Amino acid sequence: MNKTWIIFKREYLTRVKKKSFLLLTLLTPLLFAGIMFLPAYLANRESQEEHKVAVLDRSALFLGELNDSKSTNFHFIQQEEFDDVKDNLKDNEYYALLEIPENIISANRVIVYSHKQINLDVKNHIDDELEGNLENKKRTELIERVGVPDLEEQLNNTRTSISVETIKLTEDGKGKKGSTEIAMGIGFAAGFLIYMFVFIYGSMVMRGVTEEKQNRIVEIIISSAKPIQLMMGKIIGLAAVGLTQFLIWVILMGGIFIGAKSMFIDEDAMQQMAQSQSVMMSNNEATAQIMENIEPDKIQQFYEQIQGINFTQIIFLFLVYFLLGYLLYSSLMAAVASAVDSEEDMNQFMIPITVPLIAAIIILTNVIKNPEGSLAFWASHIPFTSPIIMMVRIPFGVPWYEILISIAILAASTFGAIWMAAKIYRTGILMYGKKPSWKELGKWLTYKS
Amino acid sequence: MDFFNIENVSKSFSKHQALTDVSINIKQGQVFGLLGPNGAGKTTLIRIINQITAPDTGKVYFEGRPLRPNDIHQIGYLPEERGLYKKMKVGEQALYLAQLKGLSRRDALKKLKYWFEKFEIQAWWDKKLMELSKGMQQKVQFICTVLHEPKLLIFDEPFSGFDPINANLLKHEILKLRDDGATIIFSTHNMGSVEETCDHIALIHKSKKILDGNIFDVKEKHKTNTYDVVYKGEFEALQRNLGAEYEIITHNESERVNELTMKYLNSDSHNDLLMKIAKNAQVVSYSERIPSMNEVFIQEVESNNLKP
């Protein structure tokens, strides 16, 4: 049996079988989903609760004019009741007490008393209702005063709202709904995930090599297998662990995504949306009309736009960039780990290796705002940053030849790094006692095996 | 035909010369002692045999033909600085190392069962290595070294870390392996164990081989014609008989016997000496001082240190 394979198997199985791996792999998506959906879920629940708000209207402008909402009920009270309600807010039926002053039109301010800090929904509703009411009143008064009969209508006509709908044209001329925000989100997630994977699994390689060297098991193993087999078995084994984790995440996230979809969106709306989409393909004019009628809410829009993204391409390129980037960095880390005896000496060599990785994360925020800029272009071609930066750019759309060139440069550099690492590793793994210099590492490259 | 030949091997690491023109012949079934002070080049030589490193110049032959990569399956190596994966289970770990030596999983399991029973350590199979004591870990390492039944075994300081009982057990096992046909290279500083186990030694010092030969011949070559004699009789008469051919080192007279340590300058035959002493004295005991390997080692290394 091939020895690299035997080593690969050990590296893979010992890690995948660990409880901590299983726990982390299974819990992360759940945690992630929790962070995403829990606030929405809670907000949803909260708003179903009714809050009774007592209103003392000294201006006498609003009696019967304030509309209740799902969560807020207005209940007008008299001046005599005011003190009683205010003093007993803690125990009585009212959630809050709204006091509208006589001079509300000029003062533009009201007071809300409550025992607890009132929630945002209630506050917003009070705000909206009062504003809307006052605005209407002022406008009616104004129209009466100036005497232009259709002023109301004219004013309404000046109101403008533009919805910017981005449609990305694909090669075959078909339009696709896109969203800058979602591309940003996915780009950021993909870039950051690569950064994390490379960092976490690269340091696992490093720790593995250090462990073998410090345990002195390396001498036993390389009297059975070649150093390069040990190094590559370890690196590839850990890559497989990373891919396994990623795969489980993709499957779990997909499950959560679909589950959440059915929870938040009812079937009818989905069907309508599908119809509108098919109509849009053939007739853009008519679509506008239909879209206006349906008025899809935010979540639906989100799902619609997410469906416009080519996940197959993104996942495929993610795997390519993850593997190449990981191989590039982990082979360098393996080389460094093989050369030094102690963790302290490691830092001197680790810093130059991690600097480009961290630089990529810093560049990332810039690239995400301007994915077509020259910084983005160069950073997505330089092999040390390209795995992260190119992944950020891809959801925005990158010409295929740019991707190809970037992958080619990265692959060539990775190959070179592995070659170099193998040479350093072979010598370093058996060197004990002294801290080598960069110059010495360079010399090892020229040693005969 | 020699079993393992190293011919004119040199190796250097940048400025450091690790081996200079070293040649060694090891015969089938020998226990070959590879001796030398720290840093002499023993480990480099062992690494060359294990094909961990290649010599700069010189040739290495195994069973009469140049050493090949696959020959590592015929070699078992127990390094001086040895360790195993601390968090891996003993059984899994032994299986892994056996598979790396080219054994199939099934063969490895069968053989491991045999050895674990022999050392009565079946209960360790599912324990993590870190749960074992150092001596216990060494036993596991020993099993991993010999499991694939190599033709050539290399032990580098095998007894370090063992208590006397286990060291004895180990020595017994090593000699048994030799009896079963294995050839053994034995690298150690413990000259006592060299004398007990080795047939042949080579001494390496400052990258060069300075001594090589059968252990009996080597000692014979290093003897100084010093004799310990215990006798009854008169010292003066004895002195007269010996004439000018001796040099007295110590002489103790007591009530019953006298003890004499002397160097015989005419080194032809010690039977002559015995006869001369016996003429006037009654010999209680008579023995020639044969140097221990320890003395040979120190003498050789120190005399070589004096050389420019």
Side-chain angles (χ1 to χ4, degrees), chain A residues 207-341:
Chain A
R207 274 204 305 277
V209 173
T210 311
E211 186 204 358
E212 278 164 3
K213 189 172 176 178
Q214 280 177 350
N215 273 358
R216 309 271 182 161
I217 191 173
V218 70
E219 187 127 2
I220 291 178
I221 291 179
I222 60 170
S223 65
S224 316
K226 289 208 178 68
I228 176 109
Q229 291 174 322
L230 177 58
M231 187 182 97
M232 287 319 285
K234 178 177 290 295
I235 289 178
I236 298 170
L238 279 164
V241 177
L243 288 178
T244 307
Q245 191 165 50
F246 178 69
L247 203 72
I248 293 174
W249 282 358
V250 166
I251 290 168
L252 282 180
M253 294 280 200
I256 289 169
F257 178 79
I258 289 164
K261 187 159 125 180
S262 58
M263 220 168 80
F264 281 104
I265 301 175
D266 56 280
E267 284 297 309
D268 288 348
M270 282 303 290
Q271 267 175 359
Q272 271 183 315
M273 239 171 45
Q275 276 170 4
S276 79
Q277 263 178 334
S278 63
V279 171
M280 184 170 66
M281 290 299 174
S282 54
N283 188 340
N284 238 330
E285 284 290 310
T287 318
Q289 207 72 34
I290 292 168
M291 293 296 280
E292 230 165 82
N293 292 341
I294 299 172
E295 277 196 343
D297 73 6
K298 281 244 170 83
I299 295 172
Q300 276 178 338
Q301 211 173 346
F302 172 73
Y303 273 97
E304 190 189 346
Q305 279 161 340
I306 253 188
Q307 271 152 1
I309 281 166
N310 188 347
F311 276 105
T312 328
Q313 187 207 23
I314 287 178
I315 289 175
F316 173 74
L317 286 174
F318 179 89
L319 292 179
V320 170
Y321 275 105
F322 161 61
L323 275 181
L324 288 174
Y326 161 80
L327 284 175
L328 175 70
Y329 276 103
S330 63
S331 57
L332 292 178
M333 287 184 187
V336 162
S338 76
V340 297
D341 284 359

Side-chain angles (χ1 to χ4, degrees), chain B residues 44-304:
Chain B
T44 306
L45 189 63
I46 289 173
R47 282 180 183 166
I48 285 171
I49 296 171
N50 272 310
Q51 299 181 71
I52 292 171
T53 46
D56 295 340
T57 57
K59 295 219 162 63
V60 182
Y61 295 95
F62 181 60
E63 294 184 315
R65 51 163 178 72
L67 190 63
R68 291 188 300 227
N70 255 348
D71 290 335
I72 50 175
H73 294 165
Q74 305 297 333
I75 299 177
Y77 174 35
L78 187 68
E80 178 180 6
E81 297 279 3
R82 49 192 174 248
L84 294 170
Y85 292 108
K86 287 201 169 64
K87 288 180 185 161
M88 209 173 168
K89 284 177 184 161
V90 172
E92 265 176 61
Q93 188 143 220
L95 262 180
Y96 170 61
L97 291 172
Q99 282 174 296
L100 279 180
K101 276 292 184 191
L103 286 184
S104 71
R105 199 185 150 83
R106 199 198 296 163
D107 282 353
L109 266 174
K110 211 166 68 192
K111 288 183 171 139
L112 277 172
K113 199 167 163 258
Y114 166 80
W115 279 101
F116 271 59
E117 273 169 16
K118 182 169 187 159
F119 281 8
E120 294 172 354
I121 56 171
Q122 297 100 311
W124 299 358
W125 186 271
D126 271 329
K127 278 195 177 155
K128 282 183 182 167
L129 191 88
M130 54 200 264
E131 297 171 48
L132 306 185
S133 74
K134 198 178 172 216
M136 290 159 129
Q137 296 185 14
Q138 301 258 33
K139 269 191 189 172
V140 176
Q141 274 158 347
F142 176 78
I143 293 174
C144 292
T145 310
V146 301
L147 191 73
H148 57 293
E149 292 167 7
K151 290 182 186 165
L152 176 64
L153 278 158
I154 303 168
F155 295 106
D156 198 348
E157 292 295 354
F159 303 123
S160 70
F162 277 98
D163 61 57
I165 292 174
N166 278 317
N168 217 33
L169 174 77
L170 195 69
K171 193 165 69 195
H172 179 75
E173 286 302 329
I174 290 175
L175 291 176
K176 197 163 163 287
L177 286 165
R178 180 200 58 189
D179 296 341
D180 291 345
T183 306
I184 291 157
I185 295 176
F186 193 21
S187 168
T188 182
H189 290 132
N190 182 345
M191 292 302 143
S193 61
V194 170
E195 278 181 80
E196 285 172 51
T197 50
C198 293
D199 312 313
H200 202 99
I201 61 117
L203 179 57
I204 293 177
H205 181 46
K206 289 183 178 166
S207 87
K208 295 189 185 95
K209 185 181 81 177
I210 57 172
L211 184 66
D212 186 2
N214 181 287
I215 199 160
F216 182 80
D217 297 342
V218 166
K219 285 194 204 170
E220 197 64 10
K221 219 174 91 190
H222 283 78
K223 68 185 186 184
T224 50
N225 293 315
T226 306
Y227 296 86
D228 292 314
V229 184
V230 180
Y231 67 96
K232 291 176 181 169
E234 285 208 355
F235 181 51
E236 281 78 19
L238 197 82
Q239 267 183 313
R240 244 179 284 125
N241 274 334
L242 291 172
E245 290 171 329
Y246 70 97
E247 180 189 323
I248 291 173
I249 297 168
T250 59
H251 184 249
N252 291 319
E253 285 189 44
S254 66
E255 236 177 83
R256 302 225 166 85
V257 293
N258 299 333
E259 288 173 23
L260 173 69
T261 301
M262 53 174 283
K263 201 167 181 176
Y264 190 40
L265 301 176
N266 176 6
S267 63
D268 290 347
S269 150
H270 51 223
N271 273 0
D272 293 348
L273 177 66
L274 182 57
M275 272 146 69
K276 281 176 189 166
I277 297 170
K279 238 183 225 172
N280 295 86
Q282 192 186 341
V283 176
V284 176
S285 78
Y286 169 85
S287 65
E288 183 178 7
R289 275 200 184 173
I290 303 289
S292 68
M293 275 313 295
N294 207 31
E295 286 164 326
V296 173
F297 184 96
I298 292 170
Q299 195 189 330
E300 278 289 329
V301 168
E302 281 182 346
S303 71
N304 261 278

Side-chain angles (χ1 to χ4, degrees), chain A residues 80-202:
Chain A
E80 304 88 67
E81 295 169 79
F82 179 75
D83 285 332
D84 181 42
V85 171
K86 188 178 160 194
D87 292 343
N88 295 315
L89 265 177
K90 190 177 174 186
D91 306 311
N92 63 21
E93 54 184 319
Y94 297 112
Y95 177 69
L97 169 61
L98 167 64
E99 185 187 4
I100 301 170
E102 240 169 298
N103 60 346
I104 172 79
I105 292 193
S106 56
N108 282 336
R109 96 186 256 273
V110 297
I111 299 167
V112 176
Y113 301 99
S114 66
H115 174 63
K116 287 187 290 183
Q117 182 65 45
I118 66 165
N119 78 37
L120 206 61
D121 261 2
V122 174
K123 184 172 176 263
N124 284 343
H125 185 68
I126 293 172
D127 202 343
D128 287 350
E129 282 298 310
L130 292 178
E131 265 175 26
N133 255 294
L134 276 178
E135 255 179 50
N136 268 336
K137 284 189 167 54
K138 285 180 183 169
R139 192 175 302 161
T140 325
E141 204 186 327
L142 180 71
I143 290 166
E144 266 169 30
R145 195 146 39 88
V146 294
V148 181
D150 59 347
L151 182 65
E152 169 99 56
E153 213 172 304
Q154 283 183 25
L155 279 174
N156 274 345
N157 282 344
T158 61
R159 277 204 181 169
T160 318
S161 159
I162 292 181
S163 98
V164 179
E165 190 174 296
T166 55
I167 295 196
K168 241 168 44 184
L169 289 176
T170 51
E171 304 278 297
D172 50 2
K174 273 185 192 158
K176 247 192 207 164
K177 267 201 160 185
S179 153
T180 313
E181 288 80 12
I182 286 175
M184 271 171 85
I186 289 175
F188 183 82
F192 197 75
L193 215 54
I194 289 218
Y195 167 80
M196 259 178 41
F197 267 113
V198 168
F199 223 109
I200 291 172
Y201 284 92

